[in-house]
Amino acid sequence: MRFYNRDKEMKLLSEVERMSNEESQMTVVTGRRRIGKTQLLLKACEGQTTLYFFVSRKSESLLCKDFVEEVREKLGLMIGDFSSFGKLFESLLLISKEHHFNLIIDEFQEFLRVNPSVYGDMQKYWDLHHKKGKMNLLISGSVNSLMHKIFENSKEPLFGRAGNILRLKPFGVNVLKEILSDHYSKYEKDDLLALYALTGGVAWYVELMMKNRCFTIDAMLDLVFKEDSLFLQEGKNVLIEEFGKEYTVYFSILECIARGLCSRGEIESYLGNVETGGYLVKLDRDYDIIKMKQPIFSKPNSKQTRYYIQDNFLYFWFRFVHKYQRYIESGSIALLKNVVTRDFPVFSGIILERYFHKLFMEKQIYTSIGGYWDRSGENEIDLIAVNEIDEVIDFCEIKRQENNIDLDVLSKKANDFFSKNPSLKHYKSNYLALSLKNM
């Protein structure tokens, strides 16, 4: 699959590389596993002198042997033997005073297991030498909570050292349309929705679908639920290291949210009155896996709070794979696929709402985008998009089939919204029916 849609990031990395010819630069790239961090960095360094260090789980001395060999091959220099990464890093900084090069350090958070003092050593040598060096240091890591701690916690040695912190996001919906169209121009809208639902725009998942020629919803589900499918263990592989020993509690909370139990009260009741407040905060702020949403324009202290799983693939995985793990363990994967096929229209209806929220955000013409619901749950609007500069507000009802949408009912719900937000009553109002055909 060709390289898609990282123009903004490539432009920034190109500018950083140019600056590093005059003074060493440190850039951090974070994002969930499989998002494409390594490929982005390798693409940005294409045709340039680049060292690539992958921090695997082995002793520091063995890692240094691997890295020294990389230096010999890429720079043609015999720099001796090292058992300390800090000393090796200092040596590279000194070499960079005469030779400009890129240094990619991948899975940087793994130094916490190898030798946590590496970070303090790097900080010391960076502060001593980076202004006179010409190293373009590019650091990548997949464990979000640890990368945040290493670079954004004021108590950590590398705090404030990175000139840029790039948070790589999944492909947007327009990019997914481009990718699917490039590979299979005859796709149906349900195929596009399935690609968005099952991959969430995560680069590696999309690439797997395209490489395996899974261009239709049936082919995509076949790939996910084939024997020994990588997707079946993927949720655990992505998250278990983030959560550590408490992963069972976090997984239970995420399964509740995927089931549609979206308030703290509903989650705690379902789990037998387990206290979840601290876990929900960490899932939001530290792990960036869930988000708390409130009705658009509601007060910050509103109690009408709902939680949702941001990542479409993880939402799908907890809704079906984790929930029905017993089917997998008993070898009944075909039966599980039947369950998913049966329930997919309802599930994809929720994903369709996410699709249009994302699409409206990508238009970049609205100042506020969100949903609306009242306390009783009688008046709920799927999508409200507001342009406060031009004083225009779009009310949107979203259903898979257009004939299931009643714009008169939507107008009445909008009146309830205006009763709570009277300052917007004079805005020009548009009422839109959004369905599969509008994708």
Side-chain angles (χ1 to χ4, degrees), residues 67-335:
F67 299 160
V68 166
E69 181 64 19
E70 175 78 353
V71 174
R72 186 190 66 78
E73 289 182 6
K74 299 293 180 61
L75 300 184
L77 298 174
M78 303 299 292
I79 60 173
D81 295 325
F82 293 85
S83 59
S84 160
F85 181 79
K87 283 295 184 182
L88 173 57
F89 184 65
E90 181 186 29
S91 178
L92 291 173
L93 280 167
L94 293 172
I95 290 170
S96 77
K97 292 181 181 181
E98 303 296 331
H99 305 278
H100 170 260
F101 57 88
N102 306 309
L103 170 58
I104 299 173
I105 307 180
D106 205 352
E107 296 300 350
F108 188 70
Q109 77 282 339
E110 292 301 322
F111 276 127
L112 282 169
R113 293 177 181 270
V114 176
N115 179 7
S117 67
V118 163
Y119 302 127
D121 293 340
M122 288 184 68
Q123 177 252 313
K124 177 175 67 176
Y125 296 128
W126 182 261
D127 290 351
L128 282 172
H129 303 300
H130 84 275
K131 287 187 177 296
K132 294 183 180 180
K134 298 174 184 177
M135 177 193 289
N136 184 26
L137 176 58
L138 303 165
I139 294 172
S140 170
S142 298
V143 182
N144 186 68
S145 55
L146 296 181
M147 291 296 287
H148 176 79
K149 177 177 182 287
I150 292 166
F151 289 101
E152 298 180 79
N153 185 324
S154 60
K155 296 179 181 179
E156 297 299 317
L158 290 174
F159 173 76
R161 293 330 189 264
N164 293 281
I165 298 180
L166 283 177
R167 294 175 174 84
L168 211 56
K169 300 295 185 183
F171 292 141
V173 293
N174 283 313
V175 177
L176 285 179
K177 288 172 76 172
E178 179 186 0
I179 293 171
L180 189 54
S181 181
D182 284 350
H183 288 81
Y184 184 65
S185 59
K186 298 183 293 184
Y187 74 86
E188 302 289 342
K189 298 298 175 65
D190 252 329
D191 302 327
L192 175 60
L193 186 58
L195 183 64
Y196 181 57
L198 296 172
T199 71
V202 174
W204 190 70
Y205 305 151
V206 177
E207 186 172 3
L208 276 181
M209 294 294 186
M210 298 302 104
K211 278 185 175 179
N212 285 279
R213 302 186 62 79
C214 298
F215 308 137
T216 66
I217 180 172
D218 289 337
M220 292 177 203
L221 288 175
D222 283 343
L223 181 64
V224 171
F225 291 104
K226 75 174 185 177
E227 201 73 35
D228 299 322
S229 167
L230 295 171
F231 290 100
L232 297 180
Q233 297 300 319
E234 182 67 3
K236 185 176 290 187
N237 293 340
V238 168
L239 295 178
I240 202 163
E241 189 173 354
E242 287 272 15
F243 298 151
K245 295 178 181 178
E246 293 185 296
Y247 83 90
T248 54
V249 180
Y250 286 112
F251 275 34
S252 297
I253 292 171
L254 290 170
E255 184 185 318
C256 285
I257 296 173
R259 286 171 175 260
L261 306 172
C262 298
S263 72
R264 178 178 169 181
E266 288 175 324
I267 295 168
E268 292 183 345
S269 176
Y270 190 82
L271 295 179
N273 297 316
V274 172
E275 171 62 41
T276 63
Y279 294 104
L280 290 168
V281 169
K282 287 184 177 180
L283 283 167
D284 182 353
R285 297 179 187 175
D286 295 347
Y287 301 122
D288 199 31
I289 292 171
I290 68 170
K291 281 299 174 192
M292 180 180 72
K293 61 180 179 180
Q294 297 171 323
I296 189 170
F297 296 125
S298 63
K299 295 179 181 178
N301 60 352
S302 170
K303 294 183 179 179
Q304 294 173 260
T305 298
R306 295 176 177 177
Y307 295 96
Y308 71 101
I309 300 171
Q310 294 191 86
D311 186 295
N312 281 0
F313 172 77
L314 292 177
Y315 176 35
F316 171 84
W317 193 85
F318 280 102
R319 171 65 181 82
F320 294 109
V321 180
H322 187 259
K323 178 181 177 182
Y324 294 107
Q325 189 66 38
R326 65 189 185 278
Y327 286 35
I328 298 170
E329 292 172 357
S330 66
S332 303
I333 296 177
L335 183 58

Side-chain angles (χ1 to χ4, degrees), residues 391-430:
E391 297 189 338
V392 175
I393 182 166
D394 292 340
F395 295 96
C396 309
E397 183 78 7
I398 302 169
K399 293 281 190 295
R400 285 175 53 87
Q401 304 302 323
E402 185 181 32
N403 56 14
N404 290 332
I405 298 174
D406 188 331
L407 291 183
D408 289 335
V409 173
L410 178 60
S411 177
K412 292 176 182 177
K413 292 178 180 179
N415 289 335
D416 184 79
F417 167 81
F418 283 129
S419 71
K420 308 291 194 308
N421 301 276
S423 63
L424 303 176
K425 277 187 175 180
H426 66 283
Y427 280 25
K428 179 186 176 182
S429 299
N430 300 311

